[in-house]
Amino acid sequence: MKTAEIKRRFLAHFEANGHTIVPSAPLPAIDDPNLLFINAGMVQFVPYFLGQQAPPYTRAASVQKCIRTPDIDEVGKTSRHGTFFQMNGNFSFGDYFKQGAISLAWDLVTKSVADGGFGLDPERIWPTVYLDDDEAFDIWHKQVGVPVERIVRRGKADNFWSMGIPGPCGPCSEIFIDRGPEYGREGGPEVDEDRYMEFWNLVFMQFERGPGTGKEDYPILGELPAKNIDTGMGLERMASILQGVDNLYEIDEVRPILDRAAELTGKRYGAQSSQIASQSHPDDVRLRVIADHVRTSLMLIGDGVTPANEGRGYVLRRIMRRAIRAMRLLGWQERAMPELLPVARDCMAPSYPELATDFDRISQYAYAEEDAFLSTLRAGTTILDTAVAETKAAGGAKLSGDKAFQLHDTYGFPIDLTLEIAAEQGLQVDQDGFRRLMADQRSRAKADAQARKTGHVDLSAYRSALELGGPVQFTGYSEVARESTVRALLGDGGAPLAVAGEGEVVELVLDATPFYAEGGGQQPDVGRVTVGEGLVEVFDVQQPVPGLIVHKARVVRGEVRTGEAGFAEIDVTRRRAISRSHTATHLVHQTMRNFLGESATQAGSLNAPGRLRFDFNTPGAVSAGVLRDVEQQVNEVLLSDLEVHAFITSQEEARRLGAMALFGEKYGEEVRVVEVGDYARELCGGTHVARSGQLGLVKILSESSIGSGVRRVEALVGIDAFSFLAKEHLLVSRLAEIYRVPTEQVGERVEQTITQLRDAEKELEKLRAQLVLGGAGALAGQAKDVRGVAYVGTEAPEGAAGNDVRTLAQEIRGRIDPARPAVVAVSARSGGKASLVVAVNAAAKGRGISAADLVKGALSGRGGGNADLAQGGGLPAAEASNLLAAVEKAVAEAA
């Protein structure tokens, strides 16, 4: 059974049993500060489980795209670990509980294929339950009919679920299948989890847990008011079972990638391995890594992630580089992604058709990243070769852990490649030192993640405010002021307040508000709220939990009390300027796509009063000509004075209309569409102008790179754009007046002036050099005899360039009889500092005199160079003459 068919049957089964089918959320975890990626099927339902939002349905089912990277080093070594996977899940919010979850699961997995099920043999299924969960045990045995000997009780670490922080938790029941004696020992999941493979976990959320660490060290505080169900069936695991293959790397969505990699590298998969993944030959492990990582890369780029040096982009970069490196270890030295990524696309497109339609964009980023990594490998190899040579020259037999870590961390150079190249050169690598530095780095990252993880706890005051009064009504689309009631006041640390006095900074929650909370790249509204005799100035507006709009404000007069009626009004001038910028961003986005193609998708934005910043995905710089054309087309849309219209519709209808959705954003079933005539149409929750003509003017200021494959355009809008052009006009007019030419000739005349200045600077350089070198012959003729060594010590003209000082020292040395040992020292003063150059001829070197030693001696160890020529500096300018004396003294001692 194909994986896409397993997915279809799963959703059909639960839809037939009253579940709402919910689309997968994008892989980037936008709404959760604790996660880079969605890592479980229940993540998008967390607000419902935590009580932050009321669920719009009591039963739901989904197939969620997931990424897990903590076990990335285990990929390929077991049958269970993969970075990308799909999680089938069914969820109940206060509806059915243990009996319903178990019955629905059993029905699907044991029902015949002809009847729409998976057709598993009931005699091979082993459920597990929590130690004291007699209710689940009895359901499995008495109602489903599983024999007692195949129901296993397990402890808290295995069969009790929580989010790792205070909140909902509960026992779980896992479903395993016996794959047969060829996969391991008999005896059930407790004995061998290779032979007995878990494929479905049913979580019974019925308790609330307190704080604690680990999987077991926390108290159970009591029962939840509503009992929920959260289940997860690994789609890839079920596919491996139903397709009769040994592990998830051999299913229909992965195996073709593996086979293509084997074909390219001349390897025969499985030829030297047993059926047990943990006993596989290294070549087979590498082929699995390639197959898994190439598929993961496809899915991440498909969901809008691009390679970068931090965050989600770094995870993608690391995964791609591991795959490319594995191909090279298997002997393939050419570009791998153009051979493998199209295979991954063909595997995944039946489930995700957008991967095929968007493949041009996806492949652009993947292929560019591989090219960049191959350059990194070449550069890293050069650096490593130098480090190896230095280690050998120093008589060492081991490359330092610091150097190996620098190559890995700074240059992205894999440690296994460092080990391989060092071994070829007869050196070991300080792996303990490398691992220690890696562990330190991981510890820091873990500490940062743990610090972020308290986010759920910090939001408790906001959740309480939301629970007490429900979602805050936003009315700012249609009004800029309104009467409101103060629903809550929050002080430091979220503590609820009854009253706030003059000078206090508080967070204000109203029952309804015209204030826009920062989001979607749009800056928040500011303004004021009058409450009785009290007045507060609102300086920031945020939405810390979905549905709750919080006004950060300062009490500037009187007092404000919870429960009082008031009047809220925004700064209208600021709102209008921001709205103009937001509409302009939509127009710039659409126009960039017109000129650069559909792959030029938004990667971020800032909509501020009078200015905008628009980040978008494109592999290379945008030419000045294209920017000029984009700006002109945007302004032509403004002249057309198109109507700007916003409306609510379904996701499906918005897609049918061609509305642009942003990568990584999570949208509900109902979405808000903003359209500018027929020119631009986009999903957006921000505020906008009524007609495009109200923008007045858009002026693009700059275009630059902000990361691999991501560019940034900055622009001014409205009166700010007019002001900028007015200033430029005044500047050009002034230059035209100075040059006494028409304004259109100013640019040419400025270029001529710059060329003349550069020519003059070059001429001055020549004159300075002639001045400095003019006395070289006379100075050589005045050489002092210092114990048989011809010594010249002189100071260059003040301000002489460093190159001229070095040239002078060499010129004097060249004018002294080569048979006579000679040392030339030239000091100089520039920028308040003294510098020193020393030149030594071959005859002096023969007497053991070194220019580098003389410079370091005069400068107390500073400076560098070799025995012929050395230089240094950094002392106060007054020390210039003392440097010459120090060199002369050192020459006398050395001679």
Side-chain angles (χ1 to χ4, degrees), residues 803-845:
N803 285 337
D804 293 339
V805 177
R806 284 192 299 274
T807 303
L808 176 59
Q810 292 170 297
E811 185 72 16
I812 296 171
R813 180 183 64 184
R815 303 232 180 156
I816 298 173
D817 183 357
R820 185 182 178 192
V823 174
V824 179
V826 182
S827 65
R829 306 171 197 244
S830 181
K833 298 292 183 181
S835 62
L836 175 68
V837 175
V838 174
V840 173
N841 69 4
K845 284 199 300 179

